[in-house]
Amino acid sequence: MTSPTPSYVRVGKIPFQVTTLMLARDAILEYAKGRSPIPVRLSNAYCVSLASNDPSYAALTNGPGVTFPDGTPVVWFMRTKNRMAQTVRGPSLFTAVMEAGRSAGIQHFLLGTDDTTLSNLVTSLERKFPGVSIAGVHAPAFGPLDEAFYKEAVKLIQTANPDLIWIALGTPKQDFAAAELSKRTGLPCIAVGAAFDFVSGVTKEAPKWVQGTGIEWIYRFSQEPRRLWRRYTFGNLRFLYSAIVHSLCIRSHNPTKIERTA
């Protein structure tokens, strides 16, 4: 029995897949089992804002791969066209795949952050999910995504021989890395954002009651105001502008299509 064709809803310039956390988890596990060269993006309002200003990033998010909605504000806009849309939080997807992947023997490779965070992350994962298999880790030196970066990463990945690569390099860098590394390694690459920091315990995650409310960004901002003030001050305004304007343009030019997807 074949799976139904995935449904997508565009928010701003990014097409997001309509799914649930558990369906996204199952899709990642299937990619890993089949070693499919698929880049996966966990995108939020900030990503929509970036795509509205950066043609190369907009092209990336409309290229090969899958984009899940990692942010309640994105899902609010998606639900105006498809009421089935749900949020897929990066940290939640990360841990869900780690937990479920044990029975399938999935081998994970962790790329990003720094050596201390990766060491704490591996310890945390092995404590929370006994039997989880971490094939390798790599904390690249800070710098551009140049040929030296890719050659070193590919060499380490090939030596580790994982089924799945998780990437935490910050947005949009990690999305470009996932797209290129999936091609070079022939493996699924998931750009998972702050999941490494949260699960390792380096950064405190928002309380459960805050997650999914649409105000989780306020909690994150309170933890790192100097680093995140510009992203949230200007990014949120750009997100609203891009999402609203694009939605109005679609309704103006093709209202029938919107009615069918609601």
Side-chain angles (χ1 to χ4, degrees):
M1 183 177 178
T2 58
S3 300
T5 302
S7 176
Y8 293 85
V9 170
R10 188 174 293 275
V11 179
K13 296 182 178 180
I14 300 180
F16 289 89
Q17 187 174 113
V18 177
T19 187
T20 66
L21 175 62
M22 292 299 100
L23 288 176
R25 178 204 64 184
D26 293 345
I28 298 298
L29 291 172
E30 288 304 310
Y31 298 155
K33 292 173 186 176
R35 292 199 163 198
S36 305
I38 297 176
V40 177
R41 297 168 288 270
L42 280 296
S43 299
N44 55 22
Y46 177 61
C47 301
V48 174
S49 169
L50 282 177
S52 71
N53 262 5
D54 185 342
S56 65
Y57 187 63
L60 177 79
T61 59
N62 282 268
V66 178
T67 304
F68 295 132
D70 182 8
T72 304
V74 170
V75 170
W76 288 340
F77 277 91
M78 291 177 70
R79 284 179 179 167
T80 65
K81 300 162 191 171
N82 190 317
R83 290 185 293 274
M84 302 301 292
Q86 293 187 30
T87 304
V88 180
R89 292 184 70 252
S92 301
L93 179 64
F94 180 61
T95 53
V97 173
M98 288 289 171
E99 181 176 26
R102 293 176 296 176
S103 60
I106 301 299
Q107 302 270 335
H108 305 269
F109 191 94
L110 310 174
L111 189 158
T113 61
D114 54 54
D115 290 325
T116 300
T117 300
L118 287 178
S119 177
N120 291 339
L121 178 59
V122 171
T123 299
S124 176
L125 290 171
E126 291 176 344
R127 184 180 68 253
K128 292 178 180 178
F129 310 111
V132 69
S133 182
I134 307 300
V137 301
H138 175 43
F142 181 79
L145 297 175
D146 54 16
E147 190 60 24
F149 166 86
Y150 286 116
K151 282 185 176 180
E152 181 182 26
V154 169
K155 181 180 178 181
L156 292 170
I157 291 166
Q158 289 176 340
T159 299
N161 192 31
D163 303 303
L164 189 59
I165 303 167
W166 298 93
I167 303 175
L169 295 172
T171 303
K173 185 177 181 179
Q174 63 190 13
D175 294 326
F176 285 100
E180 185 64 22
L181 285 173
S182 67
K183 290 188 291 187
R184 295 195 184 207
T185 64
L187 294 170
C189 295
I190 300 91
V192 78
F196 285 20
D197 292 329
F198 289 148
V199 178
S200 68
V202 170
T203 301
K204 190 174 181 181
E205 195 168 5
K208 291 290 185 183
W209 67 269
V210 174
Q211 298 172 16
T213 62
I215 61 170
E216 187 174 351
W217 68 271
I218 297 177
Y219 183 87
R220 287 199 62 193
F221 175 72
S222 71
Q223 300 296 301
E224 301 179 89
R226 299 182 73 176
R227 186 176 74 85
L228 297 175
W229 76 269
R230 185 177 294 274
R231 170 188 292 198
Y232 290 132
T233 301
F234 298 106
N236 287 352
L237 292 175
R238 242 186 250 119
F239 162 71
L240 289 171
Y241 177 81
S242 179
I244 292 170
V245 168
H246 188 82
S247 178
L248 290 174
C249 287
I250 291 178
R251 289 178 184 276
S252 173
H253 288 92
N254 199 353
T256 303
K257 186 175 182 179
I258 296 300
E259 287 296 326
R260 287 202 299 267
T261 60

